[in-house]
Amino acid sequence: MALLPILHFPDKRLHKVAKPVAAVTDRIRKLAADMAETMYDAPGVGLAATQIDVHERVVVIDVSENKDDLMVLINPEIVSLSDEQKTHEEGCLSVPGVYDEVERPATVRVRALNLEGEVHEFDAEGLLAVCVQHEIDHLNGKVFVQHLSYLKQTRLKARLRKEQRELERA
Ligand code: K1U
Ligand code: ZN
């Protein structure tokens, strides 16, 4: 297994749309294992392949308390979502140190392939629902800060540019 470098916003590669996985092969199983190791090490509760500059539709998630319930979602799709919306504080391994409230559907039904290439469906609520939607956004080239107001995004970009200039001067 291997730890993989995570892209940081505003890297343009975070906005590429990932391609569907054509077949679940050993290469995809190795990618998922490396992504899981990277997510646990970060630490985080999810990771999309886009974040490690691989533009294929693979996501890993583990929202369990003991970090013993890994979910690997290949070609994940939201098949239905609730009208009810919920606001949750989100973070992102690609935007370290930034946390903000995002409103999303409270529950979603998800269809994905597993590591054996079989289709499975499940209902998600709470942090799992938030995380699945956040990771599918990554596969579609969307970073959670793009859900924030124009003013917040402008301030964040200015702050990140300033931090980058300071890093380059040091
Ligand atoms: O996709 C990512 O960047 C991972 C992200 C997932 C996420 C978290 C919270 C709400 C929505 C999506 C993270 O894992 S950020 C780090 C984090 O939340 C965390 C880190 C350590 C322990 C528990 C949570
Ligand atoms: Zn993220």
Side-chain angles (χ1 to χ4, degrees):
M1 291 210 291
L3 285 180
L4 305 163
I6 297 176
L7 298 178
H8 284 176
F9 184 81
D11 193 310
K12 286 189 169 64
R13 292 170 289 180
L14 284 168
H15 302 299
K16 286 190 184 180
V17 177
K19 293 197 164 68
V21 170
V24 181
T25 58
D26 283 349
R27 183 183 67 81
I28 296 294
R29 285 186 269 271
K30 160 91 167 71
L31 170 65
D34 288 345
M35 286 173 59
E37 190 182 0
T38 304
M39 173 187 72
Y40 287 125
D41 179 74
V45 293
L47 189 72
T50 307
Q51 294 176 276
I52 49 136
D53 202 20
V54 174
H55 302 282
E56 294 179 89
R57 301 187 82 82
V58 179
V59 158
V60 293
I61 293 177
D62 189 344
V63 294
S64 69
E65 226 166 81
N66 299 323
K67 300 287 149 226
D68 58 0
D69 191 12
L70 177 66
M71 302 174 74
V72 177
L73 308 180
I74 300 165
N75 298 341
E77 291 169 68
I78 292 178
V79 292
S80 61
L81 39 79
S82 61
D83 290 334
E84 187 200 346
Q85 303 280 309
K86 248 197 183 140
T87 299
H88 199 286
E89 182 170 83
E90 298 194 19
C92 182
L93 298 175
S94 294
V95 200
V98 174
Y99 296 86
D100 215 321
E101 306 268 307
V102 177
E103 187 182 72
R104 299 183 187 268
T107 63
V108 289
R109 184 159 183 83
V110 183
R111 183 185 298 145
L113 299 179
N114 63 19
L115 285 173
E116 282 72 51
E118 300 157 345
V119 180
H120 65 125
E121 278 194 22
F122 60 95
D123 293 306
E125 59 175 17
L127 179 58
L128 179 58
V130 174
C131 203
V132 167
Q133 294 177 77
H134 178 114
E135 302 310 335
I136 292 177
D137 270 356
H138 274 306
L139 298 180
N140 292 331
K142 188 165 183 177
V143 179
F144 91 101
V145 295
Q146 295 176 267
H147 286 276
L148 305 180
S149 68
Y150 179 77
L151 180 63
K152 279 189 177 178
Q153 289 187 50
T154 305
R155 282 182 179 154
L156 175 63
K157 282 182 195 154
R159 187 181 118 193
L160 294 174
R161 271 199 298 273
K162 183 167 174 268
E163 284 172 6
Q164 189 57 37
R165 277 199 303 275
E166 283 165 4
L167 270 178
E168 283 161 8
R169 250 188 263 124

